[in-house]
Amino acid sequence: DIQMTQSPSSLSASVGDRVTLTCRASQSISNYLNWYQQRPGKAPNLLMYAASSLQSGVPLRFSGSGSGTDFTLTISSLQPEDFATYYCQQTYSAPPYTFGQGTKLEIK
Amino acid sequence: QVQLVESGGGLVKPGGSLRLSCAASGFTFSDYYMSWIRQAPGTGLEGISYMNSGGTKYYADSVKGRFTISRDNAKNSLYLEMNSLRAEDTAVYYCAGGDGHYGAMSDWGQGTLVTVSS
């Protein structure tokens, strides 16, 4: 099974900050990597697919990069609504696809 | 707009059974790749079962042999039959779907809580 490891597990930041979240796969997954945002008490929401493609309706301050085993999600200028938990998901291997353990982004 | 609405969650005793349903609207359900993803209290996401538009089914090892995914395209509905439930199956269960592009789940329901306890 492909394991996904996110770092850090939690991160404190301020409105307006630029933050970068990291996701590492246990083997190469090409660009089969998606990012989701989950606000407390809500269902996850797709942000990025194919590592760097922005899902329709997602603000342009979100960007993704990476290929192979190392991936990043960057938020260029944090807004209050961005404080949430972020999950990466690999879709390279056959389903069920594995998620990372999540990065909780908190207000400093 | 796309809408996924789960139902069927509740409290069940260990060893019991439950059937979850997911009613879909706002898109061509038969074209969608559908899944059940769960989240135990205070933990992350776990994909447990997937079914593509062609009807192929996939299961996580944690539920294989106990859970069955199915879909009724005529009724725009997805189901999860859960048998031999265990305490560790306690979670919010989400119905999610996408067009299959990179396996991304672009649409999610609000989730339904399943609690397995005596």
Side-chain angles (χ1 to χ4, degrees), chain A residues 60-98:
Chain A
L60 293 175
R61 63 181 179 273
F62 290 91
S63 63
S65 67
S67 184
T69 60
D70 294 318
F71 302 86
T72 59
L73 175 72
T74 298
I75 310 172
S76 61
S77 179
L78 277 172
Q79 299 301 301
E81 61 268 28
D82 300 337
F83 292 94
T85 300
Y86 293 83
Y87 294 93
C88 63
Q89 177 203 34
Q90 67 81 19
T91 57
Y92 180 81
S93 64
Y97 304 126
T98 43

Side-chain angles (χ1 to χ4, degrees), chain B residues 62-82:
Chain B
S62 58
V63 305
K64 198 174 294 182
R66 300 188 298 124
F67 290 10
T68 302
I69 190 172
S70 62
R71 65 192 296 164
D72 185 335
N73 290 336
K75 294 184 177 180
N76 289 343
S77 293
L78 181 74
Y79 306 101
L80 186 68
E81 189 76 39
M82 304 187 293

Side-chain angles (χ1 to χ4, degrees), chain B residues 9-16 18 20 37-46 48 62-63 66-67 80 82-94 112-118:
Chain B
L11 175 63
V12 61
K13 289 181 168 53
L18 214 53
L20 305 184
I37 296 167
R38 70 183 180 185
Q39 187 169 36
T43 70
L45 302 170
E46 180 189 16
I48 57 169
S62 58
V63 305
R66 300 188 298 124
F67 290 10
L80 186 68
M82 304 187 293
N83 297 317
S84 303
L85 283 161
R86 307 166 180 167
E88 55 265 36
D89 295 318
T90 294
V92 174
Y93 285 71
Y94 293 103
T112 188
L113 177 62
V114 173
T115 303
V116 184
S117 174
S118 55

Side-chain angles (χ1 to χ4, degrees), chain A residues 31 34 36 38 43 91 95-97, chain B residues 33 39 47 50 101-102 105 109:
Chain A
N31 67 333
N34 307 314
Y36 298 85
Q38 187 178 33
T91 57
Y97 304 126
Chain B
Y33 177 77
Q39 187 169 36
Y50 291 74
H101 196 54
Y102 281 86
M105 297 289 115

